[in-house]
Each structure stands twice: as structure tokens, then as C-alpha cells.
Amino acid sequence: MREPTDLPWEARITSRVQETRDIFSVKLELVDPGIRETYRSYPGQYNMLYLFGVGEVPISIVSDPDDAGPLEHTIRAVGRVTHGLERLRVGDTLGLRGPYGRGWPLQAAQGRNVVVISGGLGCAPVVSMIRYMLRRRDDYGQITILQGVKHSNDLIWRRQYQEWEKIRDVQVLLASDQGGPQWPFSVGNVTVLMEKAIIPPEDTVAVLCGPEPMMKAAIPRLLERDVDPFHIWLSIERNMQCGIGHCGHCQVGPHFICQDGPVFRYPDIADWIDREGF
């Protein structure tokens, strides 16, 4: 496995999908064949994507680590760099360095039931873990997937969710704070789904990613269902600018989110949820 570099490699966009008005997905192929062959990532890690002359942003890797093809990233256009990335098209190039950070606890989850709770674009950092588990279905128990969005138009990957719920021992529940007239799923925030969710009290690992108020609301409900707090894992987002723990912008208490995280065991980060970095 190649170690992350401090300098970006050149990567070319091989495909692009506009998921919603402000969310798009790109697949990136590293231009150097030697780097492309040795690059490896782990579900839950991220890359720094560099728009030449503008800046960098940390973006989660959506691809299964064993995929031989291009690296997939799903991005919301919300700032100067991501709006610039949104304007790139197939064949354009950008900089990529990584992968960085600590990913999801796949080994701790092996042989156990897994509950995946995500809100908004928090679905992107967890999708690589879901794909990983589903490709190795016999290695995991019940898989319960809960995804919430603010508005029904914000839901991406609807067809993928429909395919997942056909798989043995997989439950998929979707909710929107504001459901439109054609919205067939639940209305409300993602925590309303927890009453319907299959969450075995024993041998269950829970992973959460999304707005921190959502995660703070979901955790007590998991604890009420007797999920061990040491089996609850969160992905935390802060102002990660360097990815290597040098700039300090993402530091929260003793933690550098870019290196120590973004995935943390709940008891290790409980006192720092909802606290801003610098």
C-alpha cells in the first residue's frame, strides 16, 4: 500500500453524475499508472481534492477499496473550491492526495449486526462501508440502514437503496423532514426510523455520520436499545485543511480530526461533539 503523499497527484475525471441540484459524483483515475496500481484506501477514509490555483477540500471516498476502477467521490457544491470542482467535466484533471484518516471499524463489525445511521450527505462516507459489507455478506449479521434527508429532493441513490433492501437480512429505512406528494417513505427526521429499525441489542455495531445534532439525538436511542457505547462509532467533520495534522484547524481538544479521525469510538469523542474546531 502506497503511503499518502504531501503533494497532490494528477487525476483525471472519467465520469460525472449530477445527483441533485447541488450534489454531484465524479470518478477519478490517477494519471500515473504506477501510482494508480499501488493506491489503496479503506472505507471511511478521505482524499484531499485540489482544484489547481484555487484550493483543496477533504472528500470521502465512496468506492469499495477492492474496486480496481476509478476512485468515486460524491460532493456538495457549497464553497469556492467545490463550486469550482462542480464546473469540471469528463477529461478534466485535478490534484489528489491521500488517502487520509481512520476509517470504519470493519474488523470490529465482522460477525456482528451492523446499524448504519446517516443524515444528508453523511450517506457518502458510509456507503463505502455498506458496499464493502454487502460484497462480503456472509461476514456480517443483520445490516440495518437508516438514511434521513431534509427534503425529499435531497435523496440520492434511491435505486441503490432499493437494490440493497432486496438482499438477505438487510433492512433499509428512509425518511425526509419534508416529504413531497410522491414521497413513499417516512416523514420526519432519521431518528423516527429507529422505532421501526431492526436493532438486536447484543452483538450490534452502530456507525453514524451526518449532522451532529442528528447523531446526538440517535445515540440515546441506541443506548436505550442496549447497544454497547463502545460499539458506537461516529464520523466527525471539522475544518480539515492539511490532512496530516500540521495546520491544527481541525483540532478539537486532544484530537486532530484529520488524522485521529474522522471516525471515532463514541466514548472517545463524546465530550467534544458539537464543539467547534479552530
Side-chain angles (χ1 to χ4, degrees):
M1 178 175 174
R2 178 179 289 272
E3 291 296 323
T5 175
D6 292 344
L7 297 175
W9 301 307
E10 187 177 20
R12 180 175 290 109
I13 298 175
T14 61
S15 73
R16 183 188 183 284
V17 175
Q18 191 72 38
E19 306 281 5
T20 69
R21 178 181 56 82
D22 60 349
I23 298 175
F24 61 100
S25 296
V26 290
K27 290 185 177 180
L28 304 175
E29 182 180 70
L30 291 162
V31 171
D32 186 309
I35 296 171
R36 186 166 66 238
E37 187 173 329
T38 55
Y39 177 97
R40 295 290 184 277
S41 65
Y42 191 80
Q45 288 189 301
Y46 64 94
N47 285 320
M48 298 296 295
L49 300 188
Y50 175 38
L51 182 63
F52 300 128
V54 180
E56 282 186 313
V57 285
I59 303 293
S60 297
I61 303 162
V62 175
S63 318
D64 185 299
D66 289 342
D67 279 346
L71 298 163
E72 187 175 356
H73 298 76
T74 296
I75 306 166
R76 185 190 298 277
V78 292
R80 184 168 54 98
V81 178
T82 50
H83 276 298
L85 292 172
E86 186 183 29
R87 288 192 285 272
L88 298 180
R89 292 294 180 264
V90 172
D92 290 338
T93 60
L94 66 155
L96 182 153
R97 59 187 178 94
Y100 293 117
R102 179 171 62 174
W104 296 111
L106 290 168
Q107 289 188 340
Q110 201 162 14
R112 302 178 187 273
N113 308 299
V114 180
V115 180
V116 180
I117 303 173
S118 58
L121 201 53
C123 62
V126 298
V127 75
S128 58
M129 179 178 184
I130 295 171
R131 289 175 175 173
Y132 183 94
M133 293 188 296
L134 293 181
R135 287 188 177 183
R136 300 153 183 86
R137 189 66 195 90
D138 292 340
D139 292 343
Y140 299 90
Q142 168 74 34
I143 297 175
T144 301
I145 301 166
L146 313 182
Q147 163 68 1
V149 292
K150 284 188 177 180
H151 192 279
S152 56
N153 292 335
D154 296 331
L155 181 69
I156 62 176
W157 304 332
R158 179 182 294 207
R159 181 174 298 176
Q160 181 173 249
Y161 287 119
Q162 292 172 335
E163 293 299 317
W164 286 347
E165 67 182 355
K166 297 175 185 175
I167 299 173
R168 167 177 55 87
D169 294 330
V170 175
Q171 181 188 31
V172 177
L173 297 172
L174 306 174
S176 173
D177 291 356
Q178 303 173 45
Q182 303 299 320
W183 179 252
F185 310 111
S186 298
V187 175
N189 60 43
V190 68
T191 55
V192 305
L193 300 176
M194 298 184 73
E195 296 179 4
K196 306 175 185 176
I198 299 172
I199 305 178
E202 297 180 352
D203 284 336
T204 291
V205 169
V207 302
L208 299 89
C209 186
E212 290 186 20
M214 179 277 289
M215 293 195 286
K216 287 188 68 174
I219 288 168
R221 290 170 170 79
L222 290 169
L223 298 177
E224 289 169 4
R225 304 282 286 267
D226 291 330
V227 176
D228 188 330
F230 285 90
H231 289 169
I232 298 174
W233 297 78
L234 317 176
S235 183
I236 302 296
E237 185 177 9
R238 288 294 184 277
N239 182 19
M240 298 188 291
Q241 294 197 9
C242 70
I244 52 177
H246 284 184
C247 75
H249 284 85
C250 67
Q251 184 175 3
V252 178
H255 306 294
F256 287 90
I257 304 300
C258 69
Q259 280 206 314
D260 302 330
V263 175
F264 291 90
R265 195 190 297 266
Y266 169 59
D268 296 335
I269 199 71
D271 291 340
W272 304 100
I273 297 174
D274 260 357
R275 296 197 191 186
E276 295 292 332
F278 297 104

